[in-house]
Amino acid sequence: MSRFARRHLRALEAYSRDELESLLITAASFKEISERNIKRVPTLRGKTVVSFFCEESTRTRVSFEIAAKRMSADFVSLSGAASSVKKGESLLDTTRNLDAMRPDIIILRHSSSGAAAFLAERVSCAIVNAGDGAHEHPTQALVDLLTISEHKPQLAGLTVAIVGDVIHSRVARSNLFALRTLGAQVRLVGPPTFLPPEASTWGEVHHDLREGVRDADVIMMLRVQLERQGRNFFPTIEEYARYFCLTEERVAAAKPDVIILHPGPMNRGVEIATDVADGPYSVIMNQVTNGIAVRMATMFLLVNRPSVEIELELEAARRSAAGEEVPA
Amino acid sequence: MSLLIRNGTVIDPANGVDRARDVLVRDGRIAAVEEPGSIAADGATIVDAQDRWVVPGLIDMHVHLREPGFEYRETITTGARAAVAGGFASVACMANTDPVNDSAAVTTAMLDRARASAPARVFPIGAVSKGLRGEQLAEIGEMHAAGIVAVSDDGMPIMDGNLMRRALEYAAMFGLAVIAHEEDCNIASGGVMNEGEMSLRLGLRGMPAAAEDAMIARDIAILERTQGRLHVAHISTRGGVHLVREAKQRGLAVTAEAAPHHFTLTEHAVEGYNTNAKMKPPLRTEADVRAVRAGLIDGTIDAIATDHAPHHRDEKDVEFDKANDGIVGLETALPLSLALWREHGMERSRLIAALTVNPARILGLDLGTLGVGCAADLTVIDPEAAWSVEPSAFRSKSRNTPFAGVEMVGRAAMTIVGGRVVWPEAQDA
């Protein structure tokens, strides 16, 4: 397995194929732990993980918490609403204070794009980006990639249609960057208000959902935030659904073995029809399950990797001192 | 006291001079500009300007000095020190202080402070509207009587087109230009950087060039119905440069300035969420940068102005979308401007005009020239001095620059205001 040497998980844009694959392989190997009768391994015993969510979240925060606990980490959860950020303390000061308590990882969700990168340069612990504004949501994309890889022989060459509010979506960005690195063809589907002119540099742009998903291997739906209606990105939810709701009829244009993803939370009947969300092509619940393994792998690689390497080096040194043959 | 500046190349666009000349300064005025060696020293202090340019004292028509109200960022004194260190003998300061410079009382207080403790000349610009609220005209006449040199709601775009019309009409009565921060806030839609490939990648909300272009087009259209003078502040877009060029060809009373960062950097400087690359208007694309340079070179853009905007570290060391807009510019503007001559073929007399006589004319100042009898404001430029930007050495109180560590060529060797050497600073001061 190739090495993963990053100190933080900030954004997938700069990740190489090797790095993405190490994350995915490690995640796949952790899946089995959650199927055991006793779902706990000592991998992160004695490590402290702080989740610091300055934005609402249910599934991501719970997913990180379960992942950390299944690896025996001490887990502390802090929400933005309860933190001193609410009292006017800056994000930087609050995070520095948390950092001074010597956690191993801070998991950050924040509404400002770049917040994770900003803090990563200013603290000593590892920062895991659990969503920064409209920028990236790397663990969600890793979840999606793991889920796709369980249904398709390889990611390279797949046609993936990403549908919906691309411009505001951190899930779209992380997926897009990683999918391109791994050799998939990406299509972007949605109204022009969600797809600025430069989006065409990212992939084929479609404003017709049926055409956008034609012969696709994977359809990745994005959540439409209902409040966009008030800002004139589309006239009404009803009209949005008329053109961009993924229905059985529209899915029929895709490949017969298409799979459908959604990062949640879903607006049933808006961007996705209920019978599609719950239908045979849907892998949405697999995504949620895979979330645990991906987050376990992420935390494991960030915290343990260096010491694993140091132990190997020490072992090699000991063997070499004892005149034993050092394995390559 | 007199000064004899010898062996330099005098570049004085107002008088069409660009050749070796000696300059004699006496009693705060230019006493003579003559062939090298032809002026007797006669007890004057000799300044050797061999390999140097001797130009009218530089004028920055767009700075924020933050006093009153934000003295933790800058004061009139520290801002003026930064100015003379950068070669600027005069600065015109914007009205977005606290209280806003929308009354004669504030204008007078600024001028009193400047007179008492600023090494550069400081010319206040009055607000167009009371409190910069964009609703009701400020007392422009009263402020004019107190000494303002233009009006501007800089930082707060005038969204009400009728207010802009009235401002252009009314300020014309006093011969004052209206300096416009051209941004349609609805189109800008809360953007924090240029809208384009970079904003899409970084997931930052963009403000398109159209927000600036549309406002420049509107104000030019309004200008046609008035006898006023419109000055476009910190022009940053290709479309804006075209609009100003076309309006000038039609003979309209429009002028424009560009900031060094807008003809030097592109939106790529934002990479890594660099808050020192965050300003309004935002850094744009390579095509825009080229158009701004071309506009300076062909004279469409009259002046180079820094938009010197000091901010405290705490206001920049934050998440990108929460960071204040603007960068300091006084101490890096000269070498960045010289690059237009060195690397982009701008005639040096035209470059010096953009830093001296052109802003002087827009503001109605009797400066920016080395004519005999004129005020002895001079800048001696070492065009080949190589140095690297070290923000901790700035005279400004603030350090918010995207040019930290950048290698520069050219700097002010001496700044003279009213016959007095104010840069380098006196050792025994």
Side-chain angles (χ1 to χ4, degrees):
Chain A
M1 192 194 300
S2 54
R3 282 181 185 181
F4 181 85
R6 303 250 176 192
R7 283 193 54 226
H8 308 280
L9 181 64
R10 290 186 275 195
L12 297 185
E13 187 178 9
Y15 277 39
S16 66
R17 169 185 290 269
D18 272 0
E19 288 174 308
L20 292 171
E21 282 173 354
S22 349
L23 279 159
L24 293 174
I25 291 165
T26 310
S29 74
F30 279 144
K31 281 193 71 170
E32 160 276 325
I33 296 165
S34 295
E35 306 304 326
R36 293 181 193 174
N37 189 26
I38 295 171
K39 301 176 177 58
R40 182 171 286 237
V41 291
T43 321
L44 292 187
R45 194 164 57 201
K47 304 293 182 186
T48 307
V49 176
V50 177
S51 89
F52 183 22
F53 277 56
C54 302
E55 260 189 352
E56 295 293 312
S57 161
T58 314
R59 105 202 44 221
T60 305
R61 201 194 58 73
V62 169
S63 182
F64 270 109
E65 179 162 358
I66 289 176
K69 287 182 171 168
R70 285 191 183 157
M71 293 198 295
S72 306
D74 295 312
F75 187 88
V76 181
S77 184
L78 178 69
S79 80
S83 79
S84 43
V85 169
K86 204 78 180 174
K87 297 180 196 161
E89 189 175 45
S90 72
L91 173 67
L92 179 57
D93 279 340
T94 306
T95 313
R96 275 187 177 146
N97 277 277
L98 293 174
D99 188 41
M101 299 179 205
R102 300 287 176 262
D104 297 278
I105 297 177
I106 293 175
I107 298 155
L108 179 81
R109 164 156 304 180
H110 195 272
S111 60
S112 292
S113 297
F118 168 71
L119 291 177
E121 286 161 16
R122 289 162 176 80
V123 296
S124 58
C125 68
I127 295 283
V128 172
N129 181 5
D132 62 327
H135 179 224
E136 284 218 32
H137 190 351
T139 58
Q140 179 64 48
L142 291 167
V143 165
D144 298 347
L145 295 173
L146 178 62
T147 308
I148 296 169
S149 69
E150 288 170 348
H151 291 85
K152 304 288 171 188
Q154 56 173 9
L155 290 159
L158 292 181
T159 297
V160 181
I162 302 180
V163 183
D165 187 358
V166 172
I167 191 169
H168 299 109
S169 174
R170 51 193 174 213
V171 175
R173 278 177 185 74
S174 283
N175 266 300
L176 182 111
F177 296 139
L179 284 166
R180 290 204 317 178
T181 302
L182 296 172
Q185 301 294 314
V186 177
R187 289 188 200 154
L188 302 169
V189 189
T193 43
F194 286 157
L195 290 163
E198 292 77 14
S200 60
T201 63
W202 279 353
E204 226 176 74
V205 170
H206 291 269
H207 305 309
D208 179 304
L209 180 53
R210 194 193 311 268
E211 287 310 307
V213 302
R214 187 171 297 286
D215 299 324
D217 299 287
V218 178
I219 303 172
M220 197 175 270
M221 301 305 296
L222 302 174
R223 171 180 166 76
V224 171
Q225 294 190 327
L226 306 181
E227 56 271 25
R228 304 278 176 226
Q229 178 181 304
R231 305 200 54 222
N232 292 319
F233 285 93
F234 50 83
T236 58
I237 289 291
E238 293 72 23
E239 182 163 320
Y240 183 84
R242 175 180 167 150
Y243 288 98
F244 292 102
C245 183
L246 189 66
T247 56
E248 292 264 22
E249 190 202 354
R250 285 165 174 155
V251 172
K255 286 203 179 138
D257 61 347
V258 68
I259 56 169
I260 295 162
L261 292 85
H262 192 301
M266 283 186 282
N267 299 299
R268 289 173 182 266
V270 179
E271 73 264 7
I272 189 162
T274 284
D275 43 2
V276 173
D278 301 334
Y281 315 111
S282 168
V283 294
I284 296 170
M285 288 305 121
N286 307 46
Q287 289 173 272
V288 179
T289 305
N290 282 339
I292 304 293
V294 159
R295 289 171 179 119
M296 288 169 79
T298 300
M299 290 186 276
F300 169 74
L301 288 175
L302 289 174
V303 168
N304 257 9
R305 194 67 188 175
S307 60
V308 167
E309 282 175 10
I310 290 163
E311 277 166 29
L312 287 174
E313 280 167 25
L314 288 174
E315 174 71 7
R318 191 192 59 75
R319 288 190 187 199
S320 139
E324 293 172 31
E325 198 178 319
V326 180
Chain B
M1 137 155 196
S2 32
L3 281 174
L4 178 58
I5 304 165
R6 290 211 299 213
N7 305 322
T9 301
V10 169
I11 306 170
D12 177 17
N15 294 298
V17 177
D18 183 347
R19 61 181 76 88
R21 281 285 181 270
D22 290 355
V23 179
L24 180 66
V25 170
R26 190 185 298 130
D27 301 330
R29 306 243 147 222
I30 305 290
V33 181
E34 299 290 345
E35 295 277 341
S38 65
I39 305 175
D42 201 16
T45 306
I46 307 286
V47 174
D48 182 18
Q50 185 73 47
D51 302 323
R52 307 272 156 97
W53 299 356
V54 179
V55 308
L58 307 183
I59 299 168
D60 185 348
M61 64 178 296
H62 189 148
V63 302
H64 298 269
L65 296 184
R66 307 303 192 199
E67 184 179 353
F70 306 97
E71 289 84 352
Y72 65 95
R73 296 177 187 162
E74 194 81 286
T75 65
I76 288 171
T77 306
T78 59
R81 281 187 192 146
V84 298
F88 291 94
S90 297
V91 293
C93 58
M94 285 296 173
N96 60 341
T97 47
D98 184 16
V100 168
N101 184 21
D102 60 0
S103 70
V106 177
T107 304
T108 303
M110 285 176 163
L111 286 168
D112 286 348
R113 172 53 61 96
R115 217 169 283 121
S117 63
R121 296 183 201 270
V122 174
F123 297 101
I125 293 167
V128 168
S129 68
K130 283 184 185 163
L132 303 177
R133 281 189 295 271
E135 291 163 4
Q136 210 182 342
L137 283 181
E139 290 176 333
I140 293 172
E142 297 282 354
M143 290 190 288
H144 174 63
I148 60 165
V149 294
V151 290
S152 180
D153 274 5
D154 184 58
M156 302 295 287
I158 297 174
M159 286 298 290
D160 178 345
N162 190 48
L163 175 65
M164 177 54 88
R165 173 189 174 168
R166 299 306 175 208
L168 283 163
E169 288 173 341
Y170 191 76
M173 181 161 71
F174 306 101
L176 296 173
V178 176
I179 301 177
H181 175 131
E182 304 286 23
E183 176 191 336
D184 181 315
C185 301
N186 293 327
I187 301 176
S189 179
V192 296
M193 71 170 295
N194 184 50
E195 183 178 300
E197 206 183 324
M198 280 295 284
S199 64
L200 184 64
R201 251 187 69 212
L202 296 175
L204 289 171
R205 189 178 286 185
M207 52 182 130
E212 185 169 338
D213 299 349
M215 206 63 149
I216 293 175
R218 183 201 76 173
D219 288 347
I220 287 171
I222 293 170
L223 178 68
E224 292 195 55
R225 282 284 300 157
T226 78
Q227 300 299 309
R229 286 195 291 131
L230 173 69
H231 177 78
V232 177
H234 40 50
I235 196 165
S236 75
T237 63
R238 186 170 61 160
V241 176
H242 288 326
L243 286 162
V244 170
R245 185 176 291 127
E246 189 267 348
K248 282 189 162 184
Q249 280 162 1
R250 287 192 287 133
L252 295 178
V254 58
T255 53
E257 74 193 26
H261 47 269
H262 286 131
F263 58 72
T264 307
L265 299 175
T266 67
E267 59 179 0
H268 288 278
V270 176
E271 185 75 68
Y273 301 91
N274 178 7
T275 58
N276 281 329
K278 186 185 181 197
M279 66 279 291
K280 276 186 175 181
L283 297 173
R284 305 274 190 192
T285 66
E286 185 61 38
D288 295 300
V289 169
R290 276 202 296 265
V292 170
R293 275 193 217 121
L296 279 160
I297 290 167
D298 74 11
T300 299
I301 301 169
D302 305 81
I304 293 170
T306 64
D307 194 8
H308 179 80
H311 289 291
H312 192 272
R313 189 165 59 95
D314 290 344
E315 296 165 326
K316 282 292 195 181
D317 200 16
V318 294
E319 305 89 286
F320 190 87
D321 54 358
K322 295 188 173 58
N324 283 3
D325 293 308
I327 60 170
V328 292
L330 284 165
E331 294 171 80
T332 49
L334 180 55
L336 296 172
S337 300
L338 287 168
L340 294 171
W341 158 75
R342 195 186 317 278
E343 292 161 29
H344 301 287
M346 187 174 188
E347 276 177 48
R348 63 185 186 182
S349 61
R350 182 152 247 170
L351 173 68
I352 296 304
L355 287 161
T356 57
V357 65
N358 294 354
R361 285 178 183 155
I362 294 163
L363 301 177
L365 305 176
D366 199 10
L367 294 169
T369 159
L370 297 182
V372 172
C374 294
D377 288 9
L378 299 103
T379 302
V380 180
I381 297 171
D382 179 350
E384 302 302 334
W387 60 290
S388 131
V389 178
E390 177 43 71
S392 66
F394 282 168
R395 260 60 186 175
S396 170
K397 259 194 185 181
S398 291
R399 311 276 179 253
N400 49 313
T401 175
F403 298 109
V406 171
E407 301 296 324
M408 299 274 176
V409 182
R411 73 187 311 174
M414 182 176 279
T415 308
I416 298 166
V417 176
R420 205 161 64 88
V421 176
V422 290
W423 176 262
E425 291 153 349
Q427 292 305 307
D428 55 357

